[in-house]
């Protein structure tokens, strides 16, 4: 058995190990003596017109572009629901260790005992934090975790002879929730939150009376996207369990309750973590991420395979349980993100994780307290990791959320999430995270107050933002008639 450094494949007697069943099945390597035929029509007629650039040109180009970017390493990034917190450098150092970067997912388990131990350990810790029984690290994003969790639920119902078709979703849900349900083959029944912004047990009981055992699951986010804790979640779980339905929890906001409350104790059957948010790995702009799912024991047999197991001799191996839903991601998941998350968890320890939640909640409430006389608060109740305001005090002056966000850019900050959650008209969703100091929070708050005071004096904020390299973008025109050419500087 050899490892081919050029192709990155593990070879054994002329076969390549099939990735998902390493060591079980193989397929034949192409015969090198048989000439490869390039399909017709794929050959270029003329040389590609590529610019000739030196290394220096390339370095300057990308350095210039990077200086146009705004990032958490430059300043506060209060994007609600996204948990843009500082990514400690120790995570990067550990993830860059050659023993972790120079391995391949197709290596036989005997060659990668350390890597498998990392996965095994992370699974155990995430299960403990969730108060649930088993974890799969495979999904590569929160949304993929949702899809995987729902697929597990679906398989569970099918194996128990039940063909349920519906998933209940509250109106405060993140857009990925209904999308994941649809992908998993479910229909959606929306639930209305109460005036106070949380989901009431009455709304769930009413849905149960209407749809009965056609309900496969309820998908709720806790704390929810308004930054509120769903206080009736345990009672809701009981109602669902009485009809055999499952409670799925979107755990994207776990940074608010780490070490303080466990979804398992709330009656949750399956949840996803957004590892890249809660456990600080660099993300944004669509990736990279990891969305492990944690489940109660009755759902464990259906988790994605392969599973990392430890045998009686303490060796790690891969197993392929018969009832597994199969593979949802290549390799063993987004390994680099998983390593960073484990580093973060071990670095802080359990007491540290609890402090993180306390600080995240404190920071959000500090912002709420200082800004509440300047911006309208659409929902009552204590905030957790984030706080939602609206533009209700500004609209009488002709200023809406969009202009507030753009005016904030001119003051050197990334704007918060705007117009989400959809249940709040003109929403400004601010998530400061626990990594901002009070001095940085004050700068952000002062910028918000400055804008509110100018609005009160009827400042119109025309053409904001005026300071960044890219000014006000006509997004509709850009999407409908994109112009894909170089500018006069050739950039
Ligand atoms: C509440 C909530 N659920 C799900 C997701 C989806 O996670 P991801 O972007 O990792 O797919 C997000 C993302 O921000 C979220 O805020």
């Amino acid at each position: 058995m050899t490892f081919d450094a050029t192709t990155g494949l593990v070879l054994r007697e002329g076969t390549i190990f099939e990735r998902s069943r390493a060591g079980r099945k193989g397929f034949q390597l192409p015969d090198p003596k048989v000439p490869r035929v390039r399909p017709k029509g794929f050959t270029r007629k003329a040389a590609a017109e590529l610019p000739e650039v030196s290394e220096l040109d390339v370095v300057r180009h990308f350095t210039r572009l990077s200086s146009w970017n705004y990032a958490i390493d430059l300043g506060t990034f209060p994007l609600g629901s996204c948990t843009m917190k500082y990514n400690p450098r120790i995570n990067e150092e550990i993830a860059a260790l050659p023993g972790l970067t120079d391995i391949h997912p197709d290596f036989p388990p005997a060659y990668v005992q350390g890597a498998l131990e990392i996965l095994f350990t992370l699974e155990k810790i995430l299960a403990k934090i969730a108060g649930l029984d088993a974890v799969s690290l495979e999904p590569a994003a929160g949304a993929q975790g949702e899809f995987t969790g729902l697929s597990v639920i679906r398989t569970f119902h099918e194996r128990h002879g039940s063909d349920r078709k519906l998933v209940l979703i509250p109106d405060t849900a993140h857009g990925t929730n209904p999308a994941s349900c649809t992908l998993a083959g479910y229909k959606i029944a929306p639930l209305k939150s109460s005036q106070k912004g949380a989901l009431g047990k009455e709304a769930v009981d009413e849905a149960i009376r209407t749809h009965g055992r056609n309900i496969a699951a309820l998908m709720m986010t806790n704390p929810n996207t308004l930054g509120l804790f769903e206080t009736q979640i345990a009672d809701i779980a009981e109602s669902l369990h009485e009809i055999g339905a499952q409670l799925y929890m979107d755990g994207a906001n776990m940074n608010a309750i780490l070490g303080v409350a466990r979804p398992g104790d709330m009656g949750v059957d399956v949840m996803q973590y957004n590892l890249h948010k809660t456990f600080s790995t660099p993300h944004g702009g669509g990736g990279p991420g990891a969305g492990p799912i944690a489940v109660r024991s009755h759902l464990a047999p259906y988790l994605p395979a392969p599973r990392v197991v430890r045998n009686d001799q303490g060796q790690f191996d891969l197993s392929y349980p018969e009832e597994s839903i199969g593979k949802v991601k290549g390799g063993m998941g987004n390994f680099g993100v998983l390593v960073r998350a484990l580093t973060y968890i071990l670095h802080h320890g359990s007491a540290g994780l609890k402090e993180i939640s306390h600080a995240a909640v404190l920071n959000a409430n500090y912002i709420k307290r200082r800004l509440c006389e300047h911006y309208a608060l659409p929902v009552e109740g204590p905030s957790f990791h984030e706080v939602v305001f609206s533009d209700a005090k500004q609209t009488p002056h002709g200023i809406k959320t969009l202009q507030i966000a753009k005016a904030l850019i001119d003051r050197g900050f990334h704007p918060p999430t705007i117009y989400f959650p959809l249940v709040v008209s003109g929403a400004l969703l601010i998530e400061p995270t626990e990594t901002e100091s009070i001095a940085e929070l004050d700068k952000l708050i002062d910028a918000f107050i400055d804008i509110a005071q100018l609005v009160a004096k009827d400042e119109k904020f025309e053409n904001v933002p005026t300071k960044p390299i890219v000014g006000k973008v006509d997004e509709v025109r850009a999407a409908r008639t994109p112009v894909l050419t170089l500018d006069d500087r050739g950039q």
Side-chain angles (χ1 to χ4, degrees):
M1 191 182 305
T2 53
F3 172 63
D4 182 327
T6 323
T7 58
L9 296 168
V10 178
L11 307 177
R12 190 182 59 177
E13 295 150 20
T15 64
I16 303 175
F17 279 7
E18 188 195 348
R19 174 174 289 204
S20 61
R21 302 264 163 182
R24 282 192 173 185
K25 275 195 214 163
F27 60 86
Q28 290 298 314
L29 279 172
D31 183 347
K33 285 182 233 118
V34 178
R36 300 219 184 144
V37 185
R38 198 179 293 131
K40 275 188 191 149
F42 277 73
T43 314
R44 248 182 223 294
K45 305 276 180 298
E49 282 187 34
L50 297 174
E52 286 290 325
V53 286
S54 68
E55 183 176 312
L56 177 60
D57 290 335
V58 174
V59 168
R60 284 189 178 151
H61 175 70
F62 285 109
T63 305
R64 185 169 45 240
L65 285 187
S66 72
S67 72
W68 293 2
N69 253 344
Y70 189 87
I72 186 68
D73 292 346
L74 278 175
T76 313
F77 209 125
L79 203 53
S81 201
C82 290
T83 316
M84 300 301 281
K85 66 185 180 193
Y86 175 63
N87 308 121
R89 290 303 179 261
I90 188 169
N91 295 356
E92 301 308 310
E93 278 171 37
I94 302 295
L97 290 174
L100 300 178
T101 55
D102 297 355
I103 54 176
H104 190 276
D106 287 341
F107 275 6
Y111 288 22
V112 285
Q113 286 292 298
L116 293 181
E117 184 169 5
I118 286 174
L119 301 176
F120 190 82
T121 309
L122 183 58
E123 282 187 5
K124 293 278 167 284
I125 292 177
L126 292 180
K128 199 164 176 200
I129 294 173
L132 290 166
D133 302 310
V135 165
S136 165
L137 302 173
E138 249 185 55
Q144 202 189 11
E146 293 166 23
F147 168 74
T148 308
L150 289 160
S151 302
V152 164
I153 289 176
R154 197 189 157 96
T155 309
F156 164 80
H157 284 308
E158 281 169 5
R159 300 280 153 83
H160 287 80
S162 169
D163 181 27
R164 301 174 183 232
K165 297 267 187 289
L166 266 189
V167 174
L168 310 176
I169 303 188
D171 51 8
T172 49
H174 191 263
T176 49
N177 290 188
S180 301
C181 283
T182 308
L183 275 178
Y186 283 116
K187 295 258 174 294
I188 295 141
L191 291 181
K192 229 175 147 24
S193 316
S194 74
Q195 291 297 311
K196 292 186 175 161
L199 185 61
K201 182 170 176 299
E202 323 78 64
V204 178
D205 287 343
E206 177 60 40
I208 290 175
R209 278 193 290 278
T210 313
H211 304 291
R213 288 176 186 269
N214 199 20
I215 300 172
L218 160 67
M219 205 176 182
M220 66 194 286
T221 307
N222 200 18
N224 70 19
T225 60
L226 294 162
L228 305 177
F229 191 83
E230 294 283 0
T231 51
Q232 299 191 22
I233 187 167
D235 294 336
I236 289 173
E238 231 177 276
S239 293
L240 291 165
H241 291 155
E242 273 168 23
I243 56 149
Q246 304 291 291
L247 178 55
Y248 182 103
M249 189 185 109
D250 180 332
N253 301 328
M254 280 294 286
N255 64 322
I257 56 171
L258 284 177
V260 178
R262 304 188 309 169
D265 300 335
M266 302 170 203
V268 170
D269 298 294
V270 48
M271 62 168 282
Q272 106 276 357
Y273 283 94
N274 281 32
L275 226 60
H276 42 294
K277 293 160 68 167
T278 307
F279 300 116
S280 89
T281 70
H283 66 283
I293 59 167
V295 298
R296 224 175 259 289
S297 57
H298 65 284
L299 297 175
Y302 314 108
L303 286 174
R307 311 271 310 127
V308 181
V309 289
R310 181 150 53 176
N311 64 24
D312 295 342
Q313 290 78 49
Q315 297 288 305
F316 294 96
D317 204 348
L318 299 178
S319 89
Y320 298 83
E322 283 303 314
E323 300 213 84
S324 161
I325 59 165
K327 215 162 178 35
V328 297
K329 164 88 174 78
M332 300 295 295
N334 233 340
F335 186 64
V337 174
L338 303 175
V339 170
R340 286 171 175 87
L342 181 60
T343 307
Y344 184 78
I345 292 171
L346 296 179
H347 187 204
H348 287 281
S350 52
L353 293 186
K354 201 171 183 172
E355 266 180 46
I356 284 168
S357 304
H358 287 162
V361 173
L362 181 66
N363 280 0
N365 282 283
Y366 180 69
I367 290 187
K368 181 176 184 173
R369 184 66 192 263
R370 280 205 59 202
L371 284 186
C372 64
E373 58 178 281
H374 304 279
Y375 293 91
L377 273 173
V379 290
E380 296 166 20
S383 291
F384 272 66
H385 60 296
E386 57 194 347
V387 51
V388 65
F389 292 100
S390 82
D391 58 6
K393 287 191 180 174
Q394 285 72 38
T395 43
H397 298 273
I399 297 294
K400 292 192 182 321
T401 285
L402 186 67
Q403 284 141 299
I404 297 169
K406 303 274 184 201
L408 203 65
I409 296 175
D410 270 351
R411 282 154 184 76
F413 292 97
H414 194 285
T417 291
I418 57 174
Y419 299 113
F420 175 80
L422 303 177
V423 288
V424 172
S425 165
L428 284 152
L429 184 65
I430 306 177
E431 181 175 13
T433 83
E434 70 280 4
T435 55
E436 295 305 320
S437 66
I438 193 162
E440 289 302 315
L441 291 183
D442 280 336
K443 283 189 216 162
L444 174 71
I445 292 166
D446 290 345
F448 268 112
I449 293 177
D450 180 41
I451 295 166
Q453 287 174 339
L454 288 169
V455 173
K457 290 182 195 151
D458 283 328
E459 163 74 45
K460 289 299 171 218
F461 288 112
E462 272 158 23
N463 299 322
V464 281
T466 55
K467 296 198 179 146
I469 298 228
V470 177
K472 191 168 180 184
V473 178
D474 184 344
E475 284 160 14
V476 176
R477 206 170 120 225
R480 290 198 178 147
T481 49
V483 182
L484 303 172
T485 53
L486 299 178
D487 68 17
D488 49 13
R489 288 175 297 174
Q491 289 164 2

